[in-house]
Amino acid sequence: MTWVTGAEGSAYGVRNLPYGVFRSGGGDPRVGVRIGEFVLDLGAAEAAGLVLAAGALGRSTLNAFLALGRPQWTAVRQRVTELLTDSTHRPAVEPLLVPLAEAELLLPFEVADYVDFYSSEHHAGNVGQIFRPGQPPLLPNWKHLPIGYHGRAGTVVVSGTPIVRPTGQRATPDGPVCGPSVRLDIEAEVGFVVGVPSALGEPVGVADFADHVFGVVLVNDWSARDIQAWEYQPLGPFLGKSFATSVSGWVTPLDALAGAFVPAPEQDPPVVEYLRDVPHVGLDLRLAVEWNGERVSEPPFATMYWTPAQQLAHLTVNGASLRTGDLYASGTVSGPRRDQVGSFLELTWGGAEPVTVGGAERTFLADGDTVTVTATAPGPDGTTIALGEVTGTIRPAR
């Protein structure tokens, strides 16, 4: 049990302890860990000798800490847990707790590279039916490899950053025009943050997932469907996706999710050798999507066809190296039901079947709309672990 006021029984209790970067009172950015409705200033804790992390906790991003590797990640987590549960430490630690309401969350890590996958069979099938009616919903390669593409690291932003409506070319009956997107959408996803790098030319195997990946963030990979539809053939997504990707301000360590791993869906046909993960497991993360404060969907991450370990193995099988701060996202998380989809493209079936939000019929995002993605996972002893939310509000095109 923790001595921190209000934290016992919280989804941000000592079994969670997500990491972020914050500032308060006009101070410099520093690393912190969330406990209940407080942030423990780990930079100050390290400076006081309460935690040892090779000076990595006094930095303005998590990258130096991420690079230390799993033994150090585990040691720091154990020490922080001790500080927050052993009341003899309270006199030294309590002054380092910053009320969450007084903390400004910043982008928690410097993003090195960003890769987005397409790992939900339900999502891929829905999109195939919407865009290619009368044809097989999955393309021939889909069940043989995790489909993905490289995104734009420089436009990954922290939760709460306003999202400016993108401008680009889109098709019309009279030919292409350039202007603000009129089919702006969301993609509710889960992202994985790489800590330990790999050497160029050396693939990372599925068994090495936990040696390289530090933790998890929620992702909203905003999508301009009209711009994307016009540009994506033959090379794939570009301006329809690269304008903004929002991530949560808290990175949940894999250690906190140890009780959330569950058997992943069976894969048929069998995958090639480098993708055979034993055990074949995914994560039981239960997402929720709110549109202007109204819950419209609850996507289940446990249904994802391709696992996080398989995604990591695939993105390095050609010898591509990992860097500290790499982010790879799962792709849109969708379940088998309409109320479990992770995009409004699916929720409204390409805009043909509007939904009611706030008393009005809606299809895609309007200026002023706010979308928030949250998630929970099962923790030990019947507890619940919350992942940091990711939220954004649409601003008019410039």
Side-chain angles (χ1 to χ4, degrees):
M1 296 181 65
T2 178
W3 51 260
V4 177
T5 302
E8 187 62 32
S10 165
Y12 288 100
V14 291
R15 294 175 177 85
N16 191 342
L17 301 179
Y19 289 79
V21 171
F22 76 103
R23 62 183 166 210
S24 63
D28 293 330
R30 61 259 197 211
V31 174
V33 68
R34 181 169 176 177
I35 175 69
E37 295 303 306
F38 295 91
V39 182
L40 173 60
D41 186 339
L42 289 182
E46 185 172 27
L50 295 170
V51 182
L52 300 178
L57 301 178
R59 310 292 183 88
S60 60
T61 72
L62 280 170
N63 291 56
F65 178 64
L66 298 177
L68 294 179
R70 182 149 300 282
Q72 189 67 46
W73 304 337
T74 300
V76 170
R77 178 177 174 82
Q78 290 173 343
R79 177 57 174 167
V80 170
T81 301
E82 178 186 350
L83 293 175
L84 295 172
T85 55
D86 185 342
S87 60
T88 63
H89 295 296
R90 184 170 186 170
V93 176
E94 193 163 34
L96 307 182
L97 293 175
V98 177
L100 187 62
E102 298 176 12
E104 176 190 2
L105 291 182
L106 308 174
L107 189 66
F109 57 98
E110 183 179 355
V111 181
D113 282 311
Y114 170 51
V115 171
D116 192 26
F117 282 98
Y118 191 49
S119 295
S120 167
E121 182 176 3
H122 299 294
H123 173 67
N126 288 337
V127 172
Q129 291 179 66
I130 293 170
F131 287 142
R132 300 185 303 276
Q135 301 180 42
L138 298 181
L139 294 175
N141 62 350
W142 197 89
K143 286 198 170 184
H144 293 277
L145 69 152
I147 304 296
Y149 70 94
H150 283 275
R152 192 173 181 88
T155 55
V156 177
V157 297
V158 72
S159 174
T161 303
I163 304 300
V164 176
R165 181 177 297 274
T167 293
Q169 288 193 35
R170 51 188 170 85
T172 73
D174 299 321
V177 298
C178 184
S181 171
V182 297
R183 290 168 68 90
L184 186 56
D185 197 2
I186 69 156
E187 291 190 344
E189 308 190 18
V190 176
F192 296 85
V193 181
V194 172
V196 176
S198 65
L200 184 65
E202 296 186 7
V204 175
V206 287
D208 299 321
F209 166 74
D211 292 333
H212 291 273
V213 172
F214 171 75
V216 173
V217 291
L218 291 179
V219 175
N220 185 348
D221 197 29
W222 307 89
S223 299
R225 300 298 185 186
D226 44 358
I227 296 173
Q228 182 180 356
W230 174 240
E231 72 180 3
Y232 84 103
Q233 294 180 337
L235 290 182
F238 188 39
L239 300 182
K241 303 282 289 182
S242 65
F243 58 96
T245 300
S246 298
V247 299
S248 51
W250 297 111
V251 184
T252 304
L254 285 186
D255 284 342
L257 299 173
F261 283 90
V262 293
E266 181 181 353
Q267 295 182 318
D268 184 26
V271 298
V272 298
E273 180 66 29
Y274 77 91
L275 291 171
R276 294 176 190 166
D277 51 347
V278 180
H280 180 55
V281 294
L283 283 165
D284 182 14
L285 307 180
R286 303 157 193 185
L287 281 64
V289 178
E290 292 187 356
W291 190 349
N292 293 339
E294 185 172 331
R295 182 169 294 196
V296 295
S297 182
E298 296 181 343
F301 191 73
T303 64
M304 300 296 277
Y305 189 84
W306 294 104
T307 70
Q310 290 176 319
Q311 293 165 30
L312 184 69
H314 186 63
L315 72 86
T316 62
V317 70
N318 66 345
S321 59
L322 297 175
R323 293 194 291 170
T324 298
D326 280 355
L327 171 69
Y328 68 94
S330 62
T332 305
V333 181
S334 290
R337 304 197 313 259
R338 185 70 68 89
D339 63 354
Q340 294 178 323
V341 298
S343 71
F344 296 161
L345 175 75
E346 298 166 89
L347 187 68
T348 67
W349 209 249
E353 301 175 12
V355 295
T356 300
V357 177
E361 286 196 341
R362 302 296 306 277
T363 52
F364 295 97
L365 290 166
D367 293 345
D369 281 353
T370 296
V371 176
T372 301
V373 182
T374 58
T376 59
D381 303 322
T383 59
T384 297
I385 301 294
L387 279 67
E389 71 173 32
V390 58
T391 189
T393 299
I394 305 303
R395 296 287 183 254
R398 291 175 178 156

